[in-house]
Amino acid sequence: MGCGTGSYTKILLARGYEVTALDISQNMLEIAKRKCSCKLIKGDIRDITINEKFDACIAMFAVMGYITENPDIIKALTNIHRHLKQNGIFIFDVWNGLAVMRILPEQRMKVVENNEIKIIRFALPNLRAFDHICEVNYKLLILNKLQNTVDEITENHIVRFYFPQEIRYYLENTGFEVLKICPFLDLNGKVDENVWNITVIARAGGEK
Ligand SMILES: C[S@@+](CC[C@H](N)C(=O)[O-])C[C@H]1O[C@@H](n2cnc3c(N)ncnc32)[C@H](O)[C@@H]1O
């Protein structure tokens, strides 16, 4: 769910998993198509119907952060549950509200480059604490070293952060059992106010 450009779909396919990848963005799917030979579907996590039940659903790299409204969270989780087999696993990661409210989002700059291009990304956050939202305005400057040109792209991302106990509440009320809430990629770690990204692993119980 929320496969984006297919980077981890590609890894899962290489490991021999049978994957169906879904994203709401046609542009993302066009790139994913070049990298992944599997079923790619354009759709919204909240209401897509795929006539299949899956062993697992993975929504990695803050996909659930793009589901920002409470009723939509319920819709998305209910829909994911509907597409999982009994005891199917749902794995996702989100920003941890405990850390967001303690550390606070700040302005950041990131630079990546190779011989041809240099990309400079500025991230300007605007915290809307009451709504559990951080709006991040990204400005990217793309310097083409060969052609001596500069392009500018701006994007506004509205990202929801989640508190551990609300995650538990939403999942348990949509038919899931929470197996683990841990720091991102650290199954044995402990979540506290210092851990910005958290991974959640839940198991789908019987029909709700
Ligand atoms: C931060 S990106 C992560 C992309 C991908 N998982 C990766 O790791 O490269 C979030 C992705 O979620 C997708 N997305 C956001 N809301 C969605 C929705 N309601 N239904 C399906 N996909 C959604 C976006 O189009 C985007 O590709």
Side-chain angles (χ1 to χ4, degrees), residues 34 61 99 123 152 176 189:
R34 292 183 224 141
F61 298 114
E152 188 180 313
F176 288 94

mmCIF file with all atom_site columns, all heavy atoms in Angstrom, residues 34 61 99 123 152 176 189:
data_model
loop_
_atom_site.group_PDB
_atom_site.id
_atom_site.type_symbol
_atom_site.label_atom_id
_atom_site.label_alt_id
_atom_site.label_comp_id
_atom_site.label_asym_id
_atom_site.label_entity_id
_atom_site.label_seq_id
_atom_site.pdbx_PDB_ins_code
_atom_site.Cartn_x
_atom_site.Cartn_y
_atom_site.Cartn_z
_atom_site.occupancy
_atom_site.B_iso_or_equiv
_atom_site.pdbx_formal_charge
_atom_site.auth_seq_id
_atom_site.auth_comp_id
_atom_site.auth_asym_id
_atom_site.auth_atom_id
_atom_site.pdbx_PDB_model_num
ATOM 1  N N   . ARG A 1 34  ? 8.509  0.639  -14.337 1.00 0.00 ? 34  ARG A N   1
ATOM 2  C CA  . ARG A 1 34  ? 9.803  0.396  -14.986 1.00 0.00 ? 34  ARG A CA  1
ATOM 3  C C   . ARG A 1 34  ? 10.673 -0.533 -14.151 1.00 0.00 ? 34  ARG A C   1
ATOM 4  O O   . ARG A 1 34  ? 11.561 -1.182 -14.643 1.00 0.00 ? 34  ARG A O   1
ATOM 5  C CB  . ARG A 1 34  ? 10.552 1.727  -15.181 1.00 0.00 ? 34  ARG A CB  1
ATOM 6  C CG  . ARG A 1 34  ? 9.886  2.629  -16.197 1.00 0.00 ? 34  ARG A CG  1
ATOM 7  C CD  . ARG A 1 34  ? 10.744 3.898  -16.367 1.00 0.00 ? 34  ARG A CD  1
ATOM 8  N NE  . ARG A 1 34  ? 9.894  5.074  -16.380 1.00 0.00 ? 34  ARG A NE  1
ATOM 9  C CZ  . ARG A 1 34  ? 10.178 6.237  -15.814 1.00 0.00 ? 34  ARG A CZ  1
ATOM 10 N NH1 . ARG A 1 34  ? 11.324 6.404  -15.173 1.00 0.00 ? 34  ARG A NH1 1
ATOM 11 N NH2 . ARG A 1 34  ? 9.341  7.252  -15.879 1.00 0.00 ? 34  ARG A NH2 1
ATOM 12 N N   . PHE A 1 61  ? 7.482  3.707  4.896   1.00 0.00 ? 61  PHE A N   1
ATOM 13 C CA  . PHE A 1 61  ? 7.952  5.076  4.717   1.00 0.00 ? 61  PHE A CA  1
ATOM 14 C C   . PHE A 1 61  ? 6.798  6.079  4.773   1.00 0.00 ? 61  PHE A C   1
ATOM 15 O O   . PHE A 1 61  ? 6.519  6.792  3.813   1.00 0.00 ? 61  PHE A O   1
ATOM 16 C CB  . PHE A 1 61  ? 8.817  5.210  3.459   1.00 0.00 ? 61  PHE A CB  1
ATOM 17 C CG  . PHE A 1 61  ? 10.058 4.373  3.538   1.00 0.00 ? 61  PHE A CG  1
ATOM 18 C CD1 . PHE A 1 61  ? 10.255 3.310  2.683   1.00 0.00 ? 61  PHE A CD1 1
ATOM 19 C CD2 . PHE A 1 61  ? 10.995 4.609  4.531   1.00 0.00 ? 61  PHE A CD2 1
ATOM 20 C CE1 . PHE A 1 61  ? 11.379 2.494  2.803   1.00 0.00 ? 61  PHE A CE1 1
ATOM 21 C CE2 . PHE A 1 61  ? 12.121 3.811  4.662   1.00 0.00 ? 61  PHE A CE2 1
ATOM 22 C CZ  . PHE A 1 61  ? 12.313 2.748  3.793   1.00 0.00 ? 61  PHE A CZ  1
ATOM 23 N N   . ALA A 1 99  ? 7.663  11.989 20.064  1.00 0.00 ? 99  ALA A N   1
ATOM 24 C CA  . ALA A 1 99  ? 8.941  12.605 19.693  1.00 0.00 ? 99  ALA A CA  1
ATOM 25 C C   . ALA A 1 99  ? 8.722  13.917 18.948  1.00 0.00 ? 99  ALA A C   1
ATOM 26 O O   . ALA A 1 99  ? 9.453  14.892 19.172  1.00 0.00 ? 99  ALA A O   1
ATOM 27 C CB  . ALA A 1 99  ? 9.748  11.636 18.829  1.00 0.00 ? 99  ALA A CB  1
ATOM 28 N N   . ALA A 1 123 ? 13.558 21.797 3.619   1.00 0.00 ? 123 ALA A N   1
ATOM 29 C CA  . ALA A 1 123 ? 12.272 21.405 4.196   1.00 0.00 ? 123 ALA A CA  1
ATOM 30 C C   . ALA A 1 123 ? 11.881 22.422 5.256   1.00 0.00 ? 123 ALA A C   1
ATOM 31 O O   . ALA A 1 123 ? 12.619 22.645 6.223   1.00 0.00 ? 123 ALA A O   1
ATOM 32 C CB  . ALA A 1 123 ? 12.377 20.021 4.817   1.00 0.00 ? 123 ALA A CB  1
ATOM 33 N N   . GLU A 1 152 ? 13.548 24.410 -10.310 1.00 0.00 ? 152 GLU A N   1
ATOM 34 C CA  . GLU A 1 152 ? 13.046 24.502 -8.930  1.00 0.00 ? 152 GLU A CA  1
ATOM 35 C C   . GLU A 1 152 ? 11.710 23.769 -8.837  1.00 0.00 ? 152 GLU A C   1
ATOM 36 O O   . GLU A 1 152 ? 10.853 23.929 -9.705  1.00 0.00 ? 152 GLU A O   1
ATOM 37 C CB  . GLU A 1 152 ? 12.863 25.979 -8.569  1.00 0.00 ? 152 GLU A CB  1
ATOM 38 C CG  . GLU A 1 152 ? 12.527 26.177 -7.122  1.00 0.00 ? 152 GLU A CG  1
ATOM 39 C CD  . GLU A 1 152 ? 12.336 27.657 -6.772  1.00 0.00 ? 152 GLU A CD  1
ATOM 40 O OE1 . GLU A 1 152 ? 13.181 28.484 -7.159  1.00 0.00 ? 152 GLU A OE1 1
ATOM 41 O OE2 . GLU A 1 152 ? 11.326 27.954 -6.104  1.00 0.00 ? 152 GLU A OE2 1
ATOM 42 N N   . PHE A 1 176 ? -7.797 -5.437 14.493  1.00 0.00 ? 176 PHE A N   1
ATOM 43 C CA  . PHE A 1 176 ? -6.403 -5.882 14.545  1.00 0.00 ? 176 PHE A CA  1
ATOM 44 C C   . PHE A 1 176 ? -5.971 -6.136 15.990  1.00 0.00 ? 176 PHE A C   1
ATOM 45 O O   . PHE A 1 176 ? -6.494 -5.539 16.925  1.00 0.00 ? 176 PHE A O   1
ATOM 46 C CB  . PHE A 1 176 ? -5.473 -4.804 13.963  1.00 0.00 ? 176 PHE A CB  1
ATOM 47 C CG  . PHE A 1 176 ? -5.551 -4.657 12.473  1.00 0.00 ? 176 PHE A CG  1
ATOM 48 C CD1 . PHE A 1 176 ? -6.392 -3.705 11.892  1.00 0.00 ? 176 PHE A CD1 1
ATOM 49 C CD2 . PHE A 1 176 ? -4.768 -5.454 11.648  1.00 0.00 ? 176 PHE A CD2 1
ATOM 50 C CE1 . PHE A 1 176 ? -6.449 -3.554 10.510  1.00 0.00 ? 176 PHE A CE1 1
ATOM 51 C CE2 . PHE A 1 176 ? -4.818 -5.306 10.265  1.00 0.00 ? 176 PHE A CE2 1
ATOM 52 C CZ  . PHE A 1 176 ? -5.653 -4.353 9.698   1.00 0.00 ? 176 PHE A CZ  1
ATOM 53 N N   . GLY A 1 189 ? 13.792 -2.659 20.071  1.00 0.00 ? 189 GLY A N   1
ATOM 54 C CA  . GLY A 1 189 ? 13.956 -1.367 20.743  1.00 0.00 ? 189 GLY A CA  1
ATOM 55 C C   . GLY A 1 189 ? 12.686 -0.916 21.454  1.00 0.00 ? 189 GLY A C   1
ATOM 56 O O   . GLY A 1 189 ? 11.601 -1.464 21.246  1.00 0.00 ? 189 GLY A O   1
#
